Amino acid sequence: MPYLSPEPGEPAAPGSRIVVEVGDILMRRGLTDHAPAAQVHVIEAAKALEDFRLGHGTALERAEVLLDRAIATFQERTGEHDEVAWQAVAVYTVELWATRYSVARPTAFDPAPPPPSRLTPAHPLRLETVSREAHDLLLGAGRSLERQARGRDSTDVVRAQHGMHEAARLLHAQLDGLSMPLWVLICRFCAEIQAENLRILKAPAPGTTA
């Protein structure tokens, strides 16, 4: 018997802890509500990656361990276990979070993690490689969220949510081991990380005024 699309209030997929919700994406229970410990692992992995980029070679191993913890926690807390998809998501969110630590310096000459690290730019399983369009949509959604927080344009929240949904649709088409409702939450998480990155970038330096 074919699997039917779940209705609102039902699990997003067999075994999933994600419940289908309708309405504004930003009003739904977020990925960090489902898996707060996974977010902590993402943040700590991003800090370790930054330490590696600053010349502490042993920090890369710590980043990889924390990456594995983030993946395992996301899997456990969402009830959706596709390893390939979560590898791509975890790497993307760690690298996206890490960009806020390098705001004050040029990064062109930062050392890149060597293969076989999953954090190497040459690794084939990267979200921006899976769908460059989805990557661009997520960055655009982050820009819209950052503008919306400053009250610049009332339509920014609409643009942000549209970008999140379209990015989720594109990624689900390529990595359908995670449900579409979960991909929406993942894309919201990524857009919110990028919005905070932009807020930090635009914040006045200490000792100056805006």
Side-chain angles (χ1 to χ4, degrees):
M1 185 174 178
Y3 177 66
L4 302 176
S5 296
E7 297 292 330
E10 295 180 345
S16 178
R17 295 185 176 185
I18 305 301
V19 173
V20 175
E21 297 180 68
V22 295
D24 288 356
I25 293 171
L26 295 173
M27 297 301 292
R28 300 175 193 177
R29 220 180 145 205
L31 187 62
T32 54
D33 296 316
H34 289 281
Q39 181 185 21
V40 173
H41 296 322
V42 166
I43 294 168
E44 293 303 315
K47 291 177 180 177
L49 178 59
E50 172 66 1
D51 285 345
F52 169 79
R53 289 170 172 168
L54 291 175
H56 305 286
T58 57
L60 182 60
E61 182 179 351
R62 187 167 76 254
E64 295 275 1
V65 169
L66 289 160
L67 195 65
D68 283 330
R69 290 179 186 171
I71 291 166
T73 306
F74 278 132
Q75 290 173 322
E76 177 189 355
R77 300 305 300 167
T78 64
E80 300 193 29
H81 299 274
D82 188 86
E83 183 75 20
V84 171
W86 280 122
Q87 291 262 0
V89 169
V91 168
Y92 188 79
T93 54
V94 165
E95 291 188 334
L96 195 60
W97 199 290
T99 59
R100 68 187 58 184
Y101 302 128
S102 59
V103 164
R105 73 170 194 276
T107 58
F109 299 104
D110 279 357
S117 171
R118 290 163 293 178
L119 294 163
T120 181
H123 196 280
L125 188 59
R126 299 179 66 86
L127 216 62
E128 60 269 43
T129 303
V130 171
S131 175
R132 183 72 194 191
E133 185 180 355
H135 166 68
D136 291 340
L137 284 165
L138 290 175
L139 297 186
R143 287 192 296 271
S144 294
L145 284 180
E146 190 274 332
R147 285 195 304 267
Q148 183 267 337
R150 290 183 286 128
R152 294 303 175 96
D153 188 337
S154 60
T155 63
D156 280 324
V157 68
V158 176
R159 282 195 290 267
Q161 293 187 121
H162 175 74
M164 294 173 207
H165 188 274
E166 282 301 296
R169 184 183 62 79
L170 290 167
L171 291 167
H172 182 252
Q174 298 296 320
L175 297 170
D176 64 359
L178 300 181
S179 66
M180 178 64 184
L182 178 51
W183 272 117
V184 170
L185 300 188
I186 290 168
C187 289
R188 171 184 164 184
F189 181 48
C190 294
E192 289 174 336
I193 294 173
Q194 177 63 3
E196 180 64 10
N197 288 346
L198 294 172
R199 187 197 66 77
I200 292 169
L201 178 63
K202 294 177 180 181
T208 67
T209 56

